[in-house]
Amino acid sequence: MTASLVSPNTVLANALTAAEDVLAPRIRTAPPERITFVVGTQINGVPHLGTSLVQSLTFATAGRVRDRFGIPVEVAFGALDNAPHEVIVDPVSGHRYQRAYAQALGEDVLAATVDELYRPLFDALSERLAIPYAIEMYSRQQADEHFRRTWLRAHRRVDAARWWLDPAHGTPHVRVPCPAADCGWAEKYAERTCVLLGDDHAEVHAVCLHHGPYEVVIAPASGGYLDLATLYRNLVKELAAGTDPGRLSVMVKGGDWVFGSTLVDNALTAIGLTTGQLPTRLFCPQVVTDTGAKLSKSLIRDGKASLPDGSAPWMLDTRMWPGSLTEYADRLLDMAAVLLSDPRHFFRSYSAGELGRLMSAPTRSVTTP
């Protein structure tokens, strides 16, 4: 049986012929030598359907752009190992402290986790579409000299952007974990963290849960682990990615990022970027529950939400897919081809049950007036 996919028209879909048309203005006005599709995820658990959907659409869109514009493409996967692994409250100050996955487990363990949980699907997608990819841990990214120099320049202008990066308090969080051996704790909201900028470095003063006040120097080629709040991290990442004149970096994100990216763009404008210098982004369909909320494995795991009707356990843990990895990759790419066949299918959300239906049978696109 063939599953039919019918989607309503929208303002954006009505302006496009194909989903990748949203990238055409940047590609046509200043044709790049190559295009990197950047996609990332927090590696704080097993991959779920939403993660696989965005990753497969990243490869599929890259292939369509390569074939259409004749420009070499690649995929860059950012593994965010700065997600909180443990969070506790200091009984003295009342401040929340966190220990990120990078500090709790170490780079070797996390690299092995990425190799086990993510690389096999990337290998399958890469092989089928002949698109190269690279994986970078956030631990490596934040230690990169270019990334750190970008942060040092941005932090000099942070006062101009602080209300965009933290609308509630106006204090973009900079966390540098305690460097004491076997520690790695940092104030989650950086209440007692102070950043003093030098000519080519920053002195970070903070207070540890266990060791009291400490100082860490962040220099371009050395220093502690630089952990930034989500919006601030994206600002620095996108600034750093936009400095290569021959490369167009396309930031691929889930649909839940639409609202947050507006704040990042305003922050980038506040520190001096022009409209034409703002990042190029592609927002993928979001997986939602019957209520319209984003499918959240953490809420389901914690008993605050139930598995939606029509869904299956493998949607929260893709290792439970009832078939081979090759079949899983093929189903994802076949579904991606349908979603990309019409902008109406791409720029919308899908219930978990609907995506399960589309993954279970061949799908055809039905366009309505």
Side-chain angles (χ1 to χ4, degrees), residues 2-130:
T2 299
S4 298
L5 178 57
V6 181
S7 300
N9 201 3
T10 63
V11 173
L12 177 58
N14 198 45
L16 309 176
T17 300
E20 67 270 16
D21 285 340
V22 295
L23 308 178
R26 289 293 176 89
I27 296 174
R28 294 194 182 280
T29 54
E33 297 173 6
R34 58 197 181 280
I35 302 175
T36 300
F37 287 78
V38 183
V39 61
T41 190
Q42 290 189 339
I43 50 173
N44 57 351
V46 298
H48 56 87
L49 176 58
T51 303
S52 295
L53 178 66
V54 173
Q55 291 170 351
S56 60
L57 285 170
T58 299
F59 276 91
T61 305
R64 288 172 67 96
V65 168
R66 174 195 59 196
D67 296 344
R68 176 174 172 181
F69 296 100
I71 299 173
V73 299
E74 61 190 359
V75 170
F77 175 63
L80 300 176
D81 55 17
N82 63 328
H85 182 267
E86 307 164 77
V87 178
I88 61 176
V89 177
D90 177 9
V92 176
S93 68
H95 295 173
R96 294 168 68 84
Y97 274 80
Q98 71 175 48
R99 199 164 184 240
Y101 274 77
Q103 283 72 49
L105 301 181
E107 187 173 340
D108 290 343
V109 171
L110 292 173
T113 299
V114 170
D115 286 344
E116 176 187 354
L117 298 180
Y118 294 93
R119 193 179 291 276
L121 178 59
F122 272 74
D123 284 342
L125 297 172
S126 173
E127 180 179 0
R128 175 162 171 175
L129 296 178

